[in-house]
């Protein structure tokens, strides 16, 4: 129906512009609310996908250790995530974001445990341009716990339970939040122009450096290297579990990288999240295929454990910049990660560094590659700055972790006794077995 302007009362005509302004204001508020809701939802979905990676690490490690040590690895993975959750609430989150959380006056500024908004946001004004504190804390906690999970596999089959948890408490409460604050907390690396989208260095290489320190202080497992220095293969107990763990980690990585877009309030953000998913998947696939082909050429047979770690190395490699590359560039980046694993695992053995699950090649070395190659696809990054950032975080985490492991070793002890190691940590540390029927014949 068309109404002639002459039939509309003058008062109504005067009200039309005002009505338009009111509608515009309401529309703007609605857009802010939508942005806040969708970004919060992104963090929650991404967070519980990354949480599922805890199950992936548990299954991967349970499959790659011997059956006499499986229950121990499962307890370690349950415990490390739980300690990380408590320490990140108590210290880590506000230490990682000092501008928001360090509120008590003191020499170092003091700290306060993380607090959430009131129920229903009652009586408070919140930043509608971002997301809820609860979702942000939940999402960031998962990255913190992942760093500790990386260490668990490397030091498997010979570390004591409670000394390991002591290390995890300090890693997740202090070490990780400090180095992550240098980039994600607006610190000096961020100001310098260092780029690490989802944590190839801040999470994966940091966990790899901590794992390297632990492996050096602990020394190799009994029987890993014979008197002539030759490597004695120690097969894992269940490659089906290890494969399941790898697929779970692959799935969780979509939350790890996709959630790190940190926004889902516009069509551009959503398109970018989908681009990140596609690039992440391509890199994982390329890493697996590269390791598959290379082990066939190098050893004459395909090595399943190398293929699994090749996929994970591809994922670590793309994590520093999963948004900018094309699918072809993602394929190249992931494939190089898979190649790194095949050559790095025997290299560590030549150095007599016993890494039970291959976490150091996957997370540290592929993390180095992924961090460095950011400058290829992201024009705002510099190769020199990327190396400086990686070196700074690596030196800090390795040195502090090495000192901490050494102190634990000298005081309460770090490694189980020889008899316990030979009989298995399940009985020696826990008094139970993952597969009790096997030991009874």
């Amino acid at each position: 129906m068309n109404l002639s302007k002459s039939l509309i009362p003058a008062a109504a005509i005067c009200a039309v512009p005002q009505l338009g302004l009111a509608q515009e204001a309401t529309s703007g508020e609605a857009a802010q609310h939508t942005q806040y809701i969708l970004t919060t939802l992104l963090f929650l979905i991404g967070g519980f996908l990354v949480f599922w990676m805890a199950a992936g690490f548990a299954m991967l490690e349970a499959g790659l250790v011997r059956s006499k040590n499986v229950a121990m690895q499962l307890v370690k993975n349950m415990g490390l995530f739980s300690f990380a959750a408590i320490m990140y609430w108590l210290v880590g989150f506000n230490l990682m974001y000092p501008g928001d959380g360090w509120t008590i006056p003191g020499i170092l500024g003091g700290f306060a445990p993380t607090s959430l908004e009131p129920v229903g946001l009652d009586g408070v004004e919140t930043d509608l341009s971002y997301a809820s504190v609860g979702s942000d804390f939940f999402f960031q906690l998962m990255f913190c716990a992942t760093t500790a999970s990386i260490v668990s596999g490397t030091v498997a089959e010979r570390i004591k339970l409670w000394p390991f948890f002591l290390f995890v408490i300090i890693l997740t409460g202090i070490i990780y939040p400090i180095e992550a604050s240098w980039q994600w907390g607006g610190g000096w690396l961020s100001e310098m122009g260092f780029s690490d989208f989802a944590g190839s260095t801040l999470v994966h290489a940091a966990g790899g450096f901590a794992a390297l320190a632990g492996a050096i202080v602990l020394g190799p497992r009994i029987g890993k290297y014979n008197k002539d220095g030759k490597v004695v293969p120690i097969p894992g107990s269940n490659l089906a579990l290890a494969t399941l763990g790898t697929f779970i980690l692959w799935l969780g990585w979509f939350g790890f990288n996709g959630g790190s877009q940190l926004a889902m309030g516009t069509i551009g953000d959503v398109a970018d999240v989908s681009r990140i998913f596609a690039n992440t998947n391509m890199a994982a696939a390329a890493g697996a295929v590269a390791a598959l082909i290379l082990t066939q050429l190098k050893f004459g047979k395909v090595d399943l454990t190398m293929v699994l770690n090749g996929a994970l190395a591809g994922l670590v490699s793309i994590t520093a910049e999963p948004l900018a590359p094309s699918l072809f560039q993602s394929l190249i980046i992931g494939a190089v990660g898979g190649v790194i694993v095949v050559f790095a695992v025997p290299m560590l053995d030549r150095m007599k560094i016993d890494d039970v699950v291959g976490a150091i090649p996957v997370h540290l070395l592929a993390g180095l590659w992924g961090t460095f190659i950011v400058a290829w696809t992201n024009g705002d990054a510099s190769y020199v700055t990327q190396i400086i950032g990686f070196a700074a975080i690596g030196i800090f985490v390795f040195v502090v972790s090495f000192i901490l492991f050494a102190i634990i070793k000298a005081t309460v002890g770090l490694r189980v006794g020889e008899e316990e190691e030979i009989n298995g940590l399940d009985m020696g540390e826990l008094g139970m077995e993952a597969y009790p029927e096997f030991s009874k014949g």
Side-chain angles (χ1 to χ4, degrees):
M1 179 176 62
N2 293 323
L3 291 175
S4 170
K5 189 174 181 180
S6 62
L7 298 177
I8 303 176
I13 295 173
C14 293
V16 169
Q18 297 174 4
L19 179 61
L21 289 174
Q23 287 176 334
E24 183 178 347
T26 303
S27 175
E29 290 178 0
Q32 276 193 316
H33 292 170
T34 300
Q35 180 176 350
Y36 179 87
I37 291 167
L38 291 178
T39 301
T40 295
L41 186 61
L42 174 69
F43 286 174
L44 294 175
I45 294 173
F48 70 64
L49 279 171
V50 182
F51 168 77
W52 191 229
M53 291 175 70
F57 279 113
M59 294 300 97
L60 178 68
E61 294 172 23
L64 293 181
V65 300
R66 288 166 288 184
S67 58
K68 63 184 180 180
N69 297 312
V70 170
M72 177 69 163
Q73 286 307 111
L74 299 178
V75 169
K76 283 165 60 183
N77 277 274
M78 284 293 294
L80 72 85
F81 183 89
S82 302
F83 279 117
I86 294 170
M87 291 305 299
Y88 199 63
W89 157 72
L90 187 63
V91 183
F93 186 60
N94 287 334
L95 180 59
M96 188 166 155
Y97 298 101
D100 299 330
W102 286 64
T103 55
I104 302 174
I107 296 175
L108 297 177
F111 71 89
T114 303
S115 60
L116 307 179
E117 304 102 332
V119 175
L121 296 178
D122 185 32
V124 300
E125 293 184 8
T126 189
D127 181 7
L128 295 178
S129 66
Y130 193 52
S132 70
V133 173
S135 67
D136 191 24
F137 167 75
F138 179 73
F139 183 65
Q140 298 298 338
L141 162 63
M142 302 306 150
F143 287 67
C144 178
T146 297
T147 308
S149 296
I150 294 165
V151 182
S152 173
T154 293
V155 299
E157 301 200 306
R158 73 266 203 210
I159 196 169
K160 291 181 177 179
L161 182 63
W162 288 103
F164 171 75
F165 285 152
L166 176 58
F167 176 80
V168 165
I169 286 169
I170 298 173
L171 175 68
T172 56
I174 299 174
I175 299 173
Y176 168 77
I178 288 176
E179 55 93 0
S181 75
W182 296 349
Q183 175 69 14
W184 292 336
W188 67 277
L189 282 181
S190 177
E191 294 177 355
M192 190 175 68
F194 179 69
S195 181
D196 190 359
F197 192 96
S200 282
T201 289
L202 274 70
V203 176
H204 295 282
F209 275 111
L212 176 62
I216 293 173
V217 174
L218 272 170
R221 289 168 289 174
I222 295 172
K224 176 63 178 176
Y225 308 107
N226 62 25
K227 295 179 180 179
D228 300 328
K230 292 182 180 179
V231 180
V232 178
I234 302 178
S237 61
N238 192 327
L239 293 185
L241 272 186
T243 303
L244 174 62
T246 302
F247 275 117
I248 292 173
L249 289 167
W250 192 328
L251 172 65
W253 231 287
F254 295 126
F256 201 96
N257 287 357
S260 294
Q261 174 69 10
L262 303 183
M264 203 171 73
T266 68
I267 58 173
D269 288 329
V270 174
D272 284 350
V273 171
S274 68
R275 182 184 178 95
I276 290 168
F277 273 42
N279 284 337
T280 298
N281 189 69
M282 178 62 80
V289 170
L292 189 152
I293 294 172
L294 190 55
T295 53
Q296 177 70 58
L297 296 175
K298 190 172 174 20
F299 307 121
K301 294 181 186 294
V302 173
D303 185 325
L304 173 59
T305 61
M306 290 286 193
V307 175
L308 300 180
N309 278 332
L312 297 178
L315 288 162
V316 171
S317 299
I318 201 65
T319 294
E321 183 49 83
L323 175 60
S326 66
L327 285 170
F328 177 71
Q329 288 173 318
S330 299
L331 182 148
I332 298 299
I333 292 168
V336 172
V339 170
I340 287 171
V341 163
V342 175
F343 286 104
V345 168
M347 178 191 74
L348 283 179
D349 277 332
R350 288 193 294 272
M351 298 169 66
K352 303 296 185 292
I353 296 174
D354 186 10
D355 179 357
V356 177
V357 302
I360 295 169
V362 168
H363 298 279
L364 195 164
L365 297 179
L368 168 60
W369 157 247
T371 303
F372 174 76
I373 204 61
V374 166
W376 179 38
T377 59
N378 186 339
D380 296 330
S382 156
Y383 289 109
V384 174
T385 302
Q386 293 301 102
I387 291 299
I388 291 173
F390 180 88
I393 290 173
I395 292 169
F396 169 74
V397 174
F398 178 79
V399 170
V400 175
S401 298
F402 188 92
I403 292 172
L404 179 57
F405 274 123
I407 291 173
I408 294 172
K409 180 180 180 180
T411 53
V412 298
L414 188 64
R415 183 165 180 157
V416 299
E418 182 175 340
E419 184 178 351
E420 286 179 288
E421 184 173 342
I422 293 171
N423 293 332
L425 276 61
D426 284 5
M427 289 304 298
E429 286 284 286
L430 305 178
M432 64 172 61
E433 296 175 289
Y435 305 107
E437 67 278 10
F438 291 172
S439 63
K440 293 178 173 58

